[in-house]
Amino acid sequence: MFNLLAAEKIKLSQSKKLMIVIGIFLLLPIIQVVNTKVNVAYGKELVQVIDTVINGATGILMIDKNGLTILLVISAFISFFIGEEFQNGTIRNALSLGRSRMHYYLSKFATAAIVSLFGVIVLTAIGMISFSIAFGFGGVAEISNYVPYAIKTFSTLYLLILANVSIYVMISFQTKNSGVSLVWSFLYTIATGFLPNIFQQTEHFKHVSNWFTETFLFYYDFASPDGLATYPNMILVSIITILLSSTLGIILFNRTDIK
Amino acid sequence: MSETILKSVNISKIYGKHIALDKVSIEIKRGMIYGLIGKNGAGKSTFMRIIMGLITIDEGNIELFGETDKKALQHARRRMGQSIETPALYPELTARENLQAQAANGGVSEREIDDLLHLMKLEHTRKKKAKNFSLGMRQRLAIASTLITNPEFLILDEPTNGLDPSGIVEMREIIQRLVNERGITVLLSSHLLDELSQIATHYGILHNGKIIKEISKEDLALETRQYVELETTEVQKAVTVLDKLGISDYEVKSKTEIHIYERLDDVASINRSLVLANLDVSRIGTTRQKLEDYFLQLTGGNSYV
C-alpha cells in the first residue's frame, strides 16, 4: 500500500492536472475577494447567511461557499487521474506485479483524499487571509469560541467533500474512461445537488435528501446554531457514504477485467 | 529437468456466447522463449492477461513458479514482468521517472535505473517526456520498466508492433540479450512469424481459442526444413531410383509427391537419373516451407496472422 502511494507521489510530481487544481484553489478566493470588495464599493451590504464568507473569520466557510466548484474541480481531477491509468494501460504495471486490487483502489482513494485536503486547505487559507486583508478578521455571529468552531466546521466540511471523493473514485473505477467518468460524476453532482430541492417539496421523499452529502453542503448554514447541531448527522452520512461507496467500488473492481 | 515456470491447465474464458479461450494447456520451462502464434482474436492477449491476473478465468488452473493457490499466485506474479500490446507508460513523466514509478509499484530499489537506461539506450533522453518518445523508444522504455523489478519471467505481447525494420532487429537483440545475460524466461507473441522464428525456442499455435500445436524449435526446423520436391506419376519407380542413388532421407507424401531431404545441391543429377530410368518427372526443385505457410497449413486458412 505504501509502495503504491510512493508511486502515486512520483506520478503526481509532474502532473499538470494537480497544478491546475491547486491553481484554481489558489486563484478562486482572490477573485472572490476582489469581486466582493467591488460589490461593497458599489453599496452592497454583506450578509453572512447569503454571502457565506464576509470576513477573515468566516473564511473558514470557503468550502461551503464554493461547494459546487470544489466538487466539479475534484471530480474532473479524479476522472482523469484514475481514467488515464486504464486508458494508458498503466494500471497493468501495478496489478500485474501481484498488487492487491483493494490496495490499489485504496491508494487511489487516499491520494485523491490527500489532494482534496491540500486543495481545500489552500482555498480556505487564502480565503481567510484575503478576506482578512479586505474586510478584517472580525468574527462569526453567535460563535464565542472560534478555534474549536473553526476546527469542527472545517473537518465536517472536508468530510462532506471526502464522501463525494469516494463516490467519484468509485465512478472512475467503474467507467474506466476519463471522459465517461467526467460525465457521470458531473451528473451525480448535479442530481444529488439539485434533486433535494425537489424532494423537499414532497412528504414521502423529504427524508431521502438528508442521505446525500450535497444537501448539507448546498443548503445548510454552517454558521448558525441549527447548522452546528446537524454536524453529527453530516458526519454520519459522510462516513456511511464513504464506507458504502468504497466497499461497493472495491467489490466491483475486484470483478473487473483489465484490458 | 528444468523448473516449470508456467503451467496452464485447461484454461477457458468465455465472454457471453464467445469462447475466447477453450481449454488452453501449455507448459513453459525455465530458459524457454515461448512464442505464442495466432491470428488476431485467437486469444493470445487474453491468455497473457489471464497469466498476469488481469482477467479472471472461467475454468482451469494456473501454476506459476510452482504455486497454484490464489494468494501464492499473486505473490508469484512479483517475479514476472509484462508489456502487453501498447507500451504502458506515464506520458507526462521522463524515462527515469517512469522507472522510478514502477520501482515504487514493485517496492524495489531505484539503483538499477541507470543501468537499465543504458541497456535500453535511453540515457540521453534526460528531461524528455515519454509522450515525446518515438514508438521504438517507448517500447524500449516499457521493457526497461518491466525489468526494474528483476523479473524471472517476462510476458511480451507484440513487442515489435509498429516498429520499423531496424527497430524490430533492435528489439530482437534486446530480448536475446535478456535471455542470455539475465536468464529470463520469455512468453512472447508476434504477428511477424519469421521474426519470431529467429528467437523463439518453443512455439504454441493458438487458433480460435485453442492450442492446436506445441512444437520445439528443433522439431519445427525438421517440419519446415528445406527439401527437394519431386512430382511424378510413378512414385514406386522413383523410390527405386532414389534407393539406387543411395538417398535414404526422403518421404513419400502422396501418390505423386516425394520430399527428398538430402543432396539438395544435386537436383540436376537426381533429375537426370530419374529421366534415364524412363520416369515422367512433372516437377522437381528445392523448396522451403516458411513458418507462415506452416501456420496457415495448420490453421487451414489464408487469413492474416
Side-chain angles (χ1 to χ4, degrees):
Chain A
M1 177 81 177
F2 288 111
N3 293 330
L4 293 172
L5 284 172
E8 296 301 339
K9 191 181 144 200
I10 295 165
K11 289 179 224 168
L12 283 178
S13 66
Q14 302 296 325
S15 168
K16 278 184 189 160
K17 296 180 279 290
L18 182 65
M19 296 302 146
I20 291 169
V21 168
I22 301 303
I24 290 172
F25 288 156
L26 261 169
L27 288 175
L28 193 62
I30 295 167
I31 293 167
Q32 282 176 335
V33 80
V34 170
N35 192 38
T36 311
K37 192 80 183 164
V38 170
N39 286 341
V40 169
Y42 278 93
K44 190 194 173 204
E45 199 177 321
L46 293 179
V47 180
Q48 196 279 321
V49 181
I50 298 164
D51 297 299
T52 312
V53 178
I54 55 168
N55 54 26
T58 50
I60 198 70
L61 301 173
M62 282 301 284
I63 298 176
D64 184 26
K65 184 178 174 71
N66 296 292
L68 183 61
T69 311
I70 294 170
L71 292 181
L72 293 179
V73 169
I74 288 176
S75 70
F77 169 76
I78 292 171
S79 295
F80 283 103
F81 168 62
I82 295 174
E84 282 181 352
E85 293 271 6
F86 284 94
Q87 285 166 278
N88 293 334
T90 42
I91 190 169
R92 298 193 298 255
N93 294 349
L95 296 184
S96 63
L97 283 174
R99 291 282 168 210
S100 144
R101 289 197 183 196
M102 186 177 82
H103 286 170
Y104 187 82
Y105 186 100
L106 291 176
S107 74
K108 285 286 179 194
F109 176 53
T111 309
I114 292 166
V115 168
S116 311
L117 178 62
F118 185 64
V120 293
I121 286 175
V122 167
L123 179 84
T124 307
I126 301 290
M128 287 177 82
I129 293 166
S130 52
F131 271 89
S132 291
I133 292 167
F135 302 102
F137 189 76
V140 183
E142 296 183 68
I143 302 296
S144 52
N145 211 345
Y146 180 73
V147 175
Y149 160 78
I151 293 170
K152 222 190 299 184
T153 300
F154 181 81
S155 306
T156 308
L157 282 167
Y158 174 65
L159 208 55
L160 291 171
I161 297 290
L162 191 61
N164 284 279
V165 166
S166 173
I167 298 278
Y168 299 145
V169 168
M170 182 187 74
I171 291 172
S172 294
F173 269 98
Q174 280 318 293
T175 55
K176 295 181 264 182
N177 180 292
S178 308
V180 180
S181 169
L182 198 63
V183 171
W184 278 108
S185 299
F186 178 75
L187 289 176
Y188 169 82
T189 309
I190 297 300
T192 52
F194 297 103
L195 280 182
N197 227 350
I198 300 165
F199 285 160
Q200 287 294 332
Q201 312 301 318
T202 69
E203 273 308 309
H204 295 95
F205 291 112
K206 214 173 184 173
H207 65 284
V208 175
S209 60
N210 284 336
W211 281 104
F212 293 106
T213 51
E214 274 83 347
T215 307
F216 302 116
L217 207 51
F218 295 167
Y219 302 107
Y220 278 66
D221 180 10
F222 286 78
S224 72
D226 280 355
L228 282 167
T230 328
Y231 279 11
N233 257 358
M234 296 181 189
I235 293 167
L236 180 72
V237 170
S238 300
I239 290 172
I240 290 174
T241 305
I242 292 168
L243 289 177
L244 278 181
S245 56
S246 296
T247 308
L248 185 65
I250 290 168
I251 291 170
L252 293 173
F253 181 49
N254 270 325
R255 299 158 74 116
T256 302
D257 284 347
I258 310 292
K259 295 286 174 192
Chain B
M1 205 170 93
S2 59
E3 178 197 356
T4 296
I5 300 291
L6 168 70
K7 189 175 179 182
S8 74
V9 183
N10 292 330
I11 286 183
S12 294
K13 178 72 186 175
I14 301 158
Y15 293 109
K17 286 180 181 174
H18 172 66
I19 302 173
L21 289 177
D22 189 4
K23 298 188 190 309
V24 172
S25 300
I26 67 167
E27 188 170 358
I28 299 178
K29 291 188 179 289
R30 190 174 287 281
M32 276 187 182
I33 303 178
Y34 192 101
L36 202 56
I37 306 171
K39 295 177 192 172
N40 282 332
K44 304 186 296 288
S45 298
T46 304
F47 179 73
M48 288 177 161
R49 285 189 167 95
I50 282 174
I51 303 305
M52 300 308 307
L54 300 171
I55 296 180
T56 54
I57 48 176
D58 293 318
E59 203 182 295
N61 293 304
I62 298 170
E63 184 188 310
L64 255 177
F65 298 100
E67 305 288 357
T68 51
D69 171 63
K70 196 179 171 187
K71 215 165 184 178
L73 265 177
Q74 282 293 87
H75 199 74
R77 287 193 173 104
R78 295 192 185 167
R79 297 163 71 181
M80 298 170 65
Q82 57 83 28
S83 177
I84 295 179
E85 285 179 359
T86 50
L89 303 170
Y90 301 102
E92 293 296 330
L93 301 185
T94 64
R96 175 175 291 278
E97 287 161 348
N98 264 285
L99 296 184
Q100 284 173 331
Q102 187 59 3
N105 273 333
V108 297
S109 131
E110 295 181 0
R111 63 169 177 264
E112 269 212 72
I113 289 179
D114 284 327
D115 288 344
L116 285 172
L117 288 173
H118 180 71
L119 181 74
M120 296 298 160
K121 297 175 188 163
L122 291 168
E123 68 272 32
H124 61 281
T125 57
R126 294 172 185 271
K127 289 190 173 176
K128 194 173 181 180
K129 290 181 176 179
K131 67 180 178 186
N132 298 322
F133 283 12
S134 68
L135 183 58
M137 287 163 81
R138 287 208 295 270
Q139 286 283 22
R140 295 204 303 272
L141 180 56
I143 301 229
S145 185
T146 67
L147 295 176
I148 193 81
T149 52
N150 262 317
E152 295 166 52
F153 180 36
L154 209 53
I155 293 185
L156 302 173
D157 189 13
E158 310 278 2
T160 52
N161 220 0
L163 295 182
D164 59 23
S166 65
I168 290 171
V169 172
E170 196 173 38
M171 188 55 66
R172 187 177 68 215
E173 285 170 359
I174 287 170
I175 294 167
Q176 273 173 332
R177 224 160 63 202
L178 293 176
V179 174
N180 297 336
E181 292 172 12
R182 297 182 175 227
I184 294 175
T185 306
V186 181
L187 169 61
L188 178 75
S189 78
S190 177
H191 277 74
L192 306 166
L193 300 187
D194 273 333
E195 184 53 43
L196 197 61
S197 70
Q198 294 187 48
I199 48 172
T201 58
H202 291 78
Y203 302 87
I205 298 173
L206 197 58
H207 185 56
N208 291 338
K210 288 182 183 175
I211 285 282
I212 54 170
K213 180 124 183 163
E214 274 192 286
I215 190 166
S216 70
K217 187 179 186 175
E218 292 73 26
D219 290 341
L220 183 71
L222 278 177
E223 291 203 24
T224 60
R225 68 183 165 156
Q226 206 171 8
Y227 57 89
V228 175
E229 192 177 16
L230 168 64
E231 261 184 45
T232 173
T233 49
E234 299 161 282
V235 166
Q236 276 309 318
K237 224 169 154 182
V239 165
T240 314
V241 174
L242 293 178
D243 290 341
K244 274 185 187 168
L245 288 170
I247 296 170
S248 56
D249 191 5
Y250 62 83
E251 201 178 351
V252 178
K253 300 296 278 188
S254 69
K255 284 179 183 175
T256 58
E257 191 178 336
I258 300 173
H259 289 180
I260 304 161
Y261 298 104
E262 59 181 289
R263 290 172 63 176
L264 303 180
D265 300 331
D266 209 9
V267 180
S269 155
I270 297 171
N271 189 30
R272 193 164 49 245
S273 304
L274 292 166
V275 172
L276 286 173
N278 279 331
L279 267 157
D280 291 331
V281 177
S282 48
R283 197 158 76 90
I284 187 165
T286 54
T287 183
R288 179 182 202 120
Q289 193 179 28
K290 280 185 159 187
L291 187 54
E292 269 100 346
D293 301 326
Y294 181 74
F295 173 81
L296 291 174
Q297 185 190 316
L298 280 174
T299 56
N302 55 2
S303 311
Y304 292 107
V305 178

